[in-house]
Amino acid sequence: MQVSPAFVSSDDLYLFNTGQLFRAYRTFGAHPMEYGGSRGVRFVAWAPHAREVAVVGDFSDWGRGDRSRSLSLEQVGTTGVWVGFGPGLTEGARYKYEITGERGERVLKSDPFAFQCELRPHTASIVTSLEGYEWQDGDWMQRRKVHAPYDRPMLIYEVHLGSWRMDAAEQFRDYERLAYELVDYVCEMGYTHIEVLPLTEHPLDRSWGYQATGYYAATSRYGPADGLKKLVERAHQRGIGVLLDWVCGHFCKDEHGLRRFDGTPLFEHTDSRRAEKPLWGTLAFDYGKPQVLSFLLSNALFWLDVYHIDGLRVDAVASMLDLNFDKPESMRTVNRYGGTEDIEALHFLRKLNETVFLYYPESLMMAEDSSSYPAVTSPTYLGGLGFNYKWNMGWMNDMLRYMETDPADRSACHSLITFSMHYAYSENYVLPLSHDEVVHGKKSLLNKMPGSYEEKFANLRLFYGYWMTHPGKKLLFMGGEFGQFDEWKDAEGLDWGLLRYPLHDSMRRYVRELNRIYTRHPALWEGDHVPGGFEWIDVNNAEQCMLSFQRKARNRRGAVVAVCNFARTGYSSYRIGVASPGAYRLLLNSDLADYGGSGAAVPERVEALNIAMHGKPCSIEIPVPALSVLLWEPQEEATGAD
């Protein structure tokens, strides 16, 4: 059907081509509508170097045979944008773009803006409307605008939906079933957020979604789009935020995807040295093209707009910042100033955060960044990247290295568990124990721990206790809460059968109690980003592998004293300094028999005496079991919540 020049807004086309169309998904792609008195589907595609663009599908035998049945698109002036209207087409129609390149070569491409794709291994796009869902999460959406995340508890449960629970190979739970099973479990365990590995459509299960083809299509592995909306909605109804891993650093090379979309490097850089990501066998986006900026910025807002996602964890930021990240010498390049920073990527990341916070100031924008690039969580107007959180990869690497060391040798590497406090307030940090640490031969968290079977559990309980009381928000990958013994097997469900064994079930109950204590005691999260929220009591006892410190809430609203023993030697009497006299109540003992510990006696209440210790006017004398963490609360400051 012939279309008029007004079929697509000239303003939208201008904004798209200048990198300023922030809701491009409303213009581009396939949209059911009425035009010229007929119901059908409008198609809009960006292919500036194409000689011809057509839409093919079941309705045209995919361009085979009589080509007159294909829908030819028309280019709007010199904008590089092609448009057309297919009368009689309806939702559910499968389609692709047939693109003829400058030299006459034809290729079939999935729609970069498609809202739904076929289940792999099929690759067609599907005409889908995302309108009409009646959201029932209004209270949450209003409430999240009021409470800033910095002085709130944040316990994130990281999930790969396909392998959280699985009935059999490739028999995934669908979104709607997960809306009940997963959300109820997260609530039972006391988490505040779910973070989902990428849900953008991807061809290979084993990429876990990090190598995408359909950036606007929620993967069909787990059912239709409304099912994902139900999952997010029910999480919100239960008071749980939902975060999504978002991959804007690279995309896969599959023929039907973004690679050489119109016969030329379009979404990727024209310089192959800049485009190639040899570490992953993928291609980097070209952030210097304004249309690519419109595509990516719109995609970030799309997940917040359409699916009510509460924030994005931006993957592989370090690989975006450095032009030569993990590249051989032959592929190394420099920027226009002779340096190796990717100036266009830096501009994109700043623009990303400015755009998201313009429309959703309450969002969580988290950088998964292993680099030492400064000011990642500083505002862009101060020269920062503008994220509000950064994963603390340094803390994670140091702590895992320390915990994997046999307790007999830990005194020689004591600084690994104390160094993080030198930079703990340089950024707003999340302390991640993520999927990346339990795959590719790295072993599970439990199996990283040294010692006997029982000592592995004791070490992991101790590790979790220190992690929970260290400044910074928290993230734990699924299975860590019950001590998954094997590393994560992405093609199988978690080893839920382990809960039949006492130590694994005890670990799950311990983590649940630790989560409960964390969320109910403001001292453990109100001061995460200010130095006044943390104070060492004894930081230098390397010989005994002991640490003690205090977390403090604002306005004297509570305090928690933590005592961590990383050695195999326990003590029947150990004195530490405290700030005030009076009674101290035991909040947590990781060595309780109920948690799988030895059950060594530790009193529920001790009295602080006027005996100076560790620079404090008073002190308490307590037993400290081996490989344990004890948490104490001044009695007069008890919250009453327990």
Side-chain angles (χ1 to χ4, degrees):
M1 175 183 285
Q2 190 74 21
V3 296
S4 74
F7 191 58
V8 176
S9 163
S10 59
D11 288 344
D12 283 357
L13 297 183
Y14 171 79
L15 291 171
F16 177 75
N17 281 314
T18 56
Q20 301 175 85
L21 186 61
F22 299 148
R23 261 91 180 205
Y25 67 89
R26 296 177 180 172
T27 300
F28 288 79
H31 292 267
M33 62 180 297
E34 183 175 323
Y35 179 74
S38 299
R39 293 294 303 175
V41 177
R42 182 190 73 182
F43 296 92
V44 181
W46 177 52
H49 304 109
R51 184 189 297 176
E52 297 176 5
V53 178
V55 180
V56 299
D58 290 328
F59 57 89
S60 68
D61 194 27
W62 297 97
R64 300 184 290 265
D66 183 2
R67 300 186 62 80
S68 66
R69 292 188 297 163
S70 300
L71 172 64
S72 293
L73 304 188
E74 303 173 27
Q75 185 169 192
V76 183
T78 59
T79 63
V81 174
W82 299 74
V83 301
F85 181 75
L89 293 181
T90 61
E91 281 197 65
R94 300 187 304 146
Y95 71 98
K96 284 187 178 181
Y97 293 123
E98 182 186 64
I99 297 177
T100 303
E102 292 174 321
R103 290 177 291 186
E105 70 280 12
R106 285 193 174 95
V107 65
L108 292 182
K109 291 288 188 179
S110 300
D111 185 351
F113 286 91
F115 296 148
Q116 186 180 351
C117 298
E118 287 186 294
L119 180 63
R120 51 82 180 113
H122 305 294
T123 58
S125 303
I126 301 174
V127 175
T128 304
S129 173
L130 296 179
E131 303 297 325
Y133 189 84
E134 296 183 5
W135 285 91
Q136 305 294 321
D137 64 346
D139 288 346
W140 170 271
M141 298 297 283
Q142 286 299 120
R143 198 161 61 246
R144 75 178 189 179
K145 295 178 181 179
V146 177
H147 301 293
Y150 308 105
D151 57 356
R152 302 291 301 167
M154 190 184 299
L155 278 175
I156 304 169
Y157 188 65
E158 188 190 31
V159 179
H160 176 253
L161 293 184
S163 59
W164 182 67
R165 285 187 186 272
M166 193 181 293
D167 295 324
E170 297 190 12
Q171 291 187 17
F172 307 123
R173 300 289 205 266
D174 63 23
Y175 293 120
E176 289 210 36
R177 188 172 176 186
L178 290 164
Y180 292 91
E181 293 183 357
L182 173 61
V183 171
D184 287 349
Y185 179 77
V186 166
C187 289
E188 176 197 350
M189 290 300 296
Y191 293 97
T192 64
H193 292 75
I194 300 169
E195 182 176 315
V196 185
L197 270 61
L199 293 180
T200 43
E201 193 57 84
H202 51 286
L204 179 65
D205 290 358
R206 304 303 298 271
S207 80
W208 315 327
Y210 290 98
Q211 297 186 13
T213 50
Y215 272 75
Y216 288 82
T219 179
S220 52
R221 287 165 176 78
Y222 316 125
D226 280 1
L228 176 55
K229 293 179 180 178
K230 179 67 175 179
L231 171 58
V232 176
E233 176 183 81
R234 190 157 188 277
H236 287 171
Q237 290 171 340
R238 297 295 308 274
I240 303 297
V242 181
L243 309 175
L244 180 64
D245 276 15
W246 189 62
V247 185
C248 55
H250 62 133
F251 57 89
C252 63
K253 295 182 178 181
D254 291 60
E255 184 65 22
H256 67 283
L258 300 179
R259 176 179 176 270
R260 298 184 66 87
F261 185 76
D262 64 354
T264 68
L266 189 63
F267 289 88
E268 68 271 32
H269 206 282
T270 54
D271 183 341
S272 63
R273 296 173 302 168
R274 295 280 301 273
E276 291 287 342
K277 293 272 194 181
L279 179 66
W280 298 309
T282 56
L283 295 171
F285 283 101
D286 183 354
Y287 308 106
K289 291 191 181 89
Q291 299 89 346
V292 172
L293 292 187
S294 289
F295 176 81
L296 289 172
L297 296 174
S298 294
N299 187 246
L301 288 181
F302 168 81
W303 293 100
L304 309 181
D305 285 342
V306 174
Y307 288 99
H308 290 200
I309 297 296
D310 298 289
L312 304 174
R313 175 269 205 183
V314 179
D315 180 62
V317 169
S319 76
M320 299 171 64
L321 299 178
D322 184 356
L323 289 170
N324 301 318
F325 182 87
D326 275 329
K327 291 185 178 181
E329 191 66 35
S330 61
M331 294 181 65
R332 292 183 177 271
T333 57
V334 295
N335 60 37
R336 59 181 175 269
Y337 302 113
T340 60
E341 289 181 343
D342 190 328
I343 296 171
E344 288 82 9
L346 287 167
H347 168 74
F348 162 69
L349 290 172
R350 293 185 176 109
K351 188 66 176 177
L352 166 68
N353 289 313
E354 289 170 353
T355 303
V356 167
F357 290 130
L358 174 64
Y359 293 99
Y360 294 98
E362 70 279 10
S363 290
L364 292 165
M365 294 295 290
M366 299 183 174
E368 188 262 323
D369 177 23
S370 58
S371 77
S372 58
Y373 191 87
V376 172
T377 58
S378 292
T380 58
Y381 62 80
L382 294 177
L385 293 187
F387 289 93
N388 50 12
Y389 279 99
K390 173 182 175 174
W391 278 22
N392 193 336
M393 312 295 278
W395 173 90
M396 178 271 298
N397 285 317
D398 284 350
M399 280 304 306
L400 290 179
R401 181 180 163 196
Y402 180 84
M403 293 305 303
E404 289 180 86
T405 301
D406 189 276
D409 301 318
R410 284 175 177 169
S411 60
C413 51
H414 189 72
S415 62
L416 287 174
I417 54 173
T418 61
F419 179 70
S420 59
M421 289 310 301
H422 289 288
Y423 63 87
Y425 306 109
S426 61
E427 305 276 6
N428 298 327
Y429 282 119
V430 172
L431 307 183
L433 299 174
S434 77
H435 68 280
D436 277 332
E437 311 318 315
V438 294
V439 289
H440 304 317
K442 295 179 184 177
K443 300 188 289 189
S444 70
L445 291 180
L446 178 65
N447 208 15
K448 291 178 194 286
M449 301 296 113
S452 66
Y453 182 69
E454 290 77 11
E455 285 179 333
K456 285 180 178 292
F457 283 90
N459 270 298
L460 189 58
R461 291 192 302 270
L462 167 59
F463 179 31
Y464 285 164
Y466 183 54
W467 166 64
M468 197 66 76
T469 52
H470 188 287
K473 307 308 181 186
K474 320 293 187 245
L475 178 142
L476 180 65
F477 184 57
M478 63 183 195
E481 73 277 15
F482 60 79
Q484 174 101 359
F485 203 84
D486 290 340
E487 68 177 23
W488 174 40
K489 302 179 289 290
D490 53 60
E492 303 176 23
L494 294 180
D495 295 329
W496 293 101
L498 290 175
L499 292 175
R500 297 194 300 266
Y501 298 91
L503 281 178
H504 292 276
D505 187 52
S506 296
M507 177 63 75
R508 187 184 67 86
R509 284 186 280 107
Y510 171 73
V511 169
R512 183 177 61 189
E513 177 64 11
L514 192 58
N515 291 350
R516 187 183 71 88
I517 290 172
Y518 168 81
T519 56
R520 295 188 181 189
H521 287 80
L524 297 178
W525 37 263
E526 271 191 347
D528 275 335
H529 311 305
V530 292
F534 178 92
E535 182 182 11
W536 286 117
I537 295 174
D538 186 7
V539 64
N540 295 316
N541 193 350
E543 183 178 353
Q544 292 179 290
C545 301
M546 295 281 286
L547 277 182
S548 53
F549 54 90
Q550 181 175 236
R551 294 298 307 277
K552 294 179 285 187
R554 289 198 311 258
N555 303 322
R556 297 180 171 272
R557 294 196 305 121
V560 172
V561 173
V563 182
C564 303
N565 181 5
F566 293 94
R568 285 195 177 97
T569 302
Y571 301 94
S572 59
S573 177
Y574 188 86
R575 186 172 292 277
I576 67 164
V578 293
S580 57
Y584 282 72
R585 183 170 68 100
L586 183 65
L587 290 178
L588 178 80
N589 173 10
S590 69
D591 192 51
L592 281 180
D594 191 47
Y595 301 144
S598 70
V602 177
E604 293 291 320
R605 182 177 178 276
V606 295
E607 196 74 22
L609 304 177
N610 292 316
I611 300 174
M613 190 75 177
H614 299 132
K616 306 293 183 186
C618 306
S619 58
I620 56 175
E621 189 174 3
I622 55 174
V624 182
L627 299 174
S628 73
V629 57
L630 305 176
L631 302 184
W632 299 87
E633 179 183 43
Q635 190 72 59
E636 67 274 11
E637 297 177 350
T639 63
D642 298 292

